[in-house]
Amino acid sequence: MKGIVFSMKNHKKIFGFTKQPKRITAFSFKRFWTYYSVQVFFALCFFVGIVFGSRFISIASADFLKKIDFLFLTNLQSRLELSAFEIFSASFASDFIFILLAFLSGLSAWGIFSLSFLCAFKGIGVGISSMYLYSQYSITGIGFYILVVLPGTVLFFFAFICALREAFTQSLALFRILFSSETNLSMSRYTKTYLFRNGVVVVFTMFSSVINMILWVLFANMFNFK
């Protein structure tokens, strides 16, 4: 009888039936900074750009705002005349430019220095777009931005931060290969992962553009901008 009991206990251990107590680990700032320091740095660059862009619009000319409309929302009336597919194309094209620039920066040893400026520039565009709507249409413009523009912007923000992080890691690896005395370093083990992850980022960017298009089609005509 004892043999049967011991045998059942052993089988439970073998097949993973034994319950293990849950381990509760306290938050570690050091561990968080180790894994997410690059993302936090780029997020700070992005928000600094937003603050600068919101102040820059007060001195920007109307001609300049029209010229950068292909990158940022600075001409609402022209955007309202676009079809659903044109809205998607305009949103995806402007976002894809930044993803492409981040990708190309990752293929350069000097990309680790330029990525922060690219991130801040995108933040400047977000700040310009939001303040443009507020300065032109007051509370209505802010409501429009929150309901229609902001969701897609937030989704792209996360995709962009991921792209910047991957580009920084790739550029740093290339920098070490070019300026390190070690001869056994190779880029082949990084390149495939870099290409795959950037492909995922592009898909997520496309998804954010689809969300942006849907919100424009559903809610843009609800606002009166006359």
Side-chain angles (χ1 to χ4, degrees):
M1 188 69 181
K2 291 183 178 180
I4 295 175
V5 173
F6 287 128
S7 178
M8 291 295 294
K9 289 183 178 180
N10 290 333
H11 280 296
K12 288 181 179 180
K13 291 182 179 180
I14 292 173
F15 291 102
F17 295 146
T18 304
K19 292 184 178 180
Q20 298 292 336
K22 295 182 178 180
R23 298 178 63 183
I24 301 176
T25 58
F27 173 77
S28 174
F29 180 80
K30 182 179 180 180
R31 180 180 301 174
F32 175 84
W33 186 253
T34 300
Y35 286 102
Y36 301 106
S37 57
V38 177
Q39 291 91 322
V40 171
F41 171 75
F42 284 125
L44 290 176
C45 291
F46 189 84
F47 288 111
V48 168
I50 291 177
V51 174
F52 182 82
S54 61
R55 293 182 175 274
F56 173 76
I57 195 172
S58 60
I59 60 175
S61 64
D63 291 337
F64 175 77
L65 294 178
K66 289 181 180 180
K67 291 179 180 179
I68 62 172
D69 185 59
F70 74 101
L71 286 176
F72 314 118
L73 177 59
T74 56
N75 191 344
L76 182 59
Q77 295 298 332
S78 63
R79 292 289 182 100
L80 291 174
E81 298 175 357
L82 300 178
S83 64
F85 179 74
E86 289 172 335
I87 292 172
F88 167 79
S89 300
S91 176
F92 180 70
S94 62
D95 291 342
F96 182 76
I97 289 174
F98 287 93
I99 297 297
L100 179 62
L101 290 175
F103 173 79
L104 295 177
S105 297
L107 300 178
S108 169
W110 311 111
I112 53 177
F113 306 107
S114 62
L115 288 169
S116 58
F117 295 100
L118 178 65
C119 183
F121 184 67
K122 179 59 180 178
I124 290 173
V126 173
I128 289 176
S129 298
S130 58
M131 287 305 297
Y132 161 77
L133 290 174
Y134 175 72
S135 62
Q136 295 292 321
Y137 308 104
S138 188
I139 301 300
T140 303
I142 291 298
F144 178 86
Y145 187 85
I146 293 174
L147 182 60
V148 178
V149 182
L150 186 60
T153 302
V154 172
L155 290 175
F156 174 73
F157 167 77
F158 289 110
F160 190 43
I161 293 297
C162 291
L164 291 169
R165 192 262 182 190
E166 294 301 323
F168 181 86
T169 303
Q170 182 77 1
S171 178
L172 183 61
L174 182 60
F175 186 88
R176 288 174 176 174
I177 289 174
L178 293 178
F179 297 98
S180 176
S181 59
E182 298 183 29
T183 58
N184 60 343
L185 296 176
S186 174
M187 283 296 294
S188 60
R189 60 175 177 171
Y190 299 106
T191 303
K192 290 183 179 180
T193 302
Y194 184 63
L195 293 175
F196 173 78
R197 291 180 177 176
N198 273 275
V200 174
V201 168
V202 171
V203 172
F204 202 78
T205 302
M206 187 178 297
F207 175 72
S208 68
S209 299
V210 170
I211 296 298
N212 188 44
M213 177 194 68
I214 293 173
L215 293 176
W216 273 78
V217 172
L218 293 179
F219 302 113
N221 293 326
M222 295 174 56
F223 294 85
N224 184 14
F225 296 106
K226 296 179 180 181

